[in-house]
Amino acid sequence: MKIVLLDAITFGDTDLSGFDTLGEVSVYDKTSPQETLSRIQDAEVVVTNKVVITKEMMQECSSLKLICIAATGMNNVDLTAAKELGIEVKNVAGYSTDSVIQHTFSMLLYLVGHSRYYDEVVKTAAYSKSGVFTDVSHPFFEIKNKKWGIIGLGEIGRGVARVATAFGAKVCYYSTSGKNSNRDYLQVDLQTLLQTCDIITIHAPLNEKTKNILDYEQLLTCKEGAVVLNLGRGGIINENAVAKIVDEKHISFGLDVFEKEPLSQESPLLHVSHKERLYMTPHIAWTSQEARKTLIEKVIQNIQESL
């Protein structure tokens, strides 16, 4: 069996030797759209994280039996075409829940605690020269008793809610599907959540209901001093709106996902004046060592189950 891994660089230093027990393996760190067809044309199994597999490509791959998406989201594969052509498609769910929850709090504490400022004030010796034993120029607030709003109360959202509750936060949520009726936490409409919450975190999928759900007008209603974090999908928050509001109002944003990845060099997010209010990470919330190890194990399991 011929197996092709198209974007192995996204797995980092994770051990991929388990694939070798399944057949002949070709591993590519990165694959451009122009290279994809030639690399998968003779494959029986294709493993992709974010490389796009189109209907036209699948039509040219007579040996292709299985596409393994090394992620939860499946929008990079034409699922309708795969079904028509008899090609099985499998994804992996639930492998990175703990990793994303942890990164949510990492981003929050970095922004709330002004970590960038306080690290630099010591390392630049400004603190040493101050003659004062402390520095209270950048005040931070406690999470306890703050109102925490979660947009998307799926598995990750519920995990964030549990930890937020342990910190003493008062949790509420907005269901983007309209179908969630979790009784453990207060359900509110989006407007109420935005206007009343001190901390807002997004853990929702990108679809027709969530695209640009937080645009300029919506974000402008957030409380002064609020913190908004997007660990769902790029495109849920309008990035142009974020870049504008950061310099207009005292709202802090943490973004781990972007509408186009990697982030364009022309993005207005790279040119804001109040950089201290904007913390961005390169779509890494899912990438703990443990999560990537589990991901590869489950991809291999998906292949074994389809043999």
Side-chain angles (χ1 to χ4, degrees):
M1 178 169 57
K2 185 173 182 179
I3 304 169
V4 177
L5 280 65
L6 292 175
D7 46 0
I9 195 170
T10 62
F11 309 136
D13 58 358
T14 309
D15 182 9
L16 303 178
S17 62
F19 288 103
D20 295 329
T21 64
L22 303 176
E24 176 190 346
V25 183
S26 298
V27 179
Y28 300 98
D29 277 349
K30 295 187 286 187
T31 299
S32 70
Q34 295 74 28
E35 296 170 324
T36 305
L37 179 57
S38 63
R39 291 180 174 179
I40 69 173
Q41 201 150 22
D42 298 325
E44 294 173 69
V45 178
V46 170
V47 179
T48 174
N49 187 330
K50 292 294 182 286
V51 175
V52 174
I53 310 294
T54 66
K55 177 179 181 178
E56 291 73 23
M57 292 176 185
M58 288 183 270
Q59 288 174 329
E60 297 294 323
C61 300
S62 58
S63 301
L64 187 57
K65 299 175 182 176
L66 173 66
I67 298 173
C68 284
I69 302 174
T72 301
M74 304 175 73
N75 58 316
N76 57 320
V77 175
D78 188 330
L79 301 178
T80 302
K83 186 175 182 179
E84 291 173 354
L85 295 166
I87 299 170
E88 189 175 10
V89 181
K90 289 189 173 184
N91 67 335
V92 179
Y95 67 95
S96 63
T97 300
D98 292 331
S99 182
V100 177
I101 293 169
Q102 178 172 302
H103 194 63
T104 300
F105 284 85
S106 173
M107 298 192 84
L108 175 68
L109 295 172
Y110 180 91
L111 284 166
V112 168
H114 305 287
S115 298
R116 178 185 296 170
Y117 168 79
Y118 282 119
D119 183 45
E120 290 180 355
V121 81
V122 175
K123 289 178 178 176
T124 60
Y127 168 61
S128 301
K129 298 172 184 176
S130 70
V132 183
F133 84 96
T134 189
D135 180 343
V136 294
S137 63
H138 289 59
F140 61 90
F141 65 75
E142 296 179 2
I143 298 173
K144 185 178 180 179
N145 290 324
K146 293 299 182 293
K147 192 167 182 181
W148 186 312
I150 296 176
I151 298 176
L153 199 70
E155 184 177 0
I156 292 172
R158 291 193 301 273
V160 169
R162 287 192 293 271
V163 180
T165 301
F167 268 94
K170 300 173 182 178
V171 175
C172 65
Y173 75 96
Y174 169 69
S175 172
T176 59
S177 67
K179 300 177 181 178
N180 196 326
S181 57
N182 189 300
R183 296 183 180 180
D184 295 328
Y185 308 101
L186 176 66
Q187 183 173 5
V188 298
D189 59 60
L190 182 61
Q191 183 179 6
T192 299
L193 186 148
L194 295 176
Q195 292 177 351
T196 63
C197 288
D198 305 285
I199 302 163
I200 298 166
T201 60
I202 301 168
H203 309 287
L206 179 65
N207 53 44
E208 64 279 357
K209 291 185 177 180
T210 60
K211 176 72 173 175
N212 283 335
I213 194 173
L214 298 188
D215 212 330
Y216 182 80
E217 292 76 13
Q218 288 77 34
L219 292 171
L220 205 58
T221 67
C222 291
K223 293 174 64 174
E224 196 78 19
V227 179
V228 181
L229 308 178
N230 186 12
L231 294 99
R233 284 291 182 266
I236 295 177
I237 290 184
N238 186 312
E239 294 171 8
N240 292 329
V242 171
K244 187 177 181 183
I245 289 176
V246 158
D247 289 333
E248 291 180 350
K249 188 172 180 178
H250 186 201
I251 302 175
S252 297
F253 292 89
L255 306 177
D256 181 59
V257 287
F258 305 94
E259 189 166 4
K260 180 182 178 182
E261 296 176 343
L263 185 66
S264 168
Q265 294 182 46
E266 288 73 43
S267 171
L269 293 171
L270 298 178
H271 305 286
V272 302
S273 297
H274 284 281
K275 298 183 185 299
E276 74 281 1
R277 297 178 189 165
L278 180 61
Y279 179 35
M280 299 185 289
T281 54
H283 202 148
I284 61 168
W286 66 278
T287 65
S288 70
Q289 294 175 346
E290 293 84 356
R292 286 184 281 121
K293 180 176 182 291
T294 300
L295 172 64
I296 294 305
E297 289 173 350
K298 289 191 175 183
V299 170
I300 290 173
Q301 182 180 338
N302 280 343
I303 296 173
Q304 292 171 331
E305 291 174 351
S306 295
L307 291 178

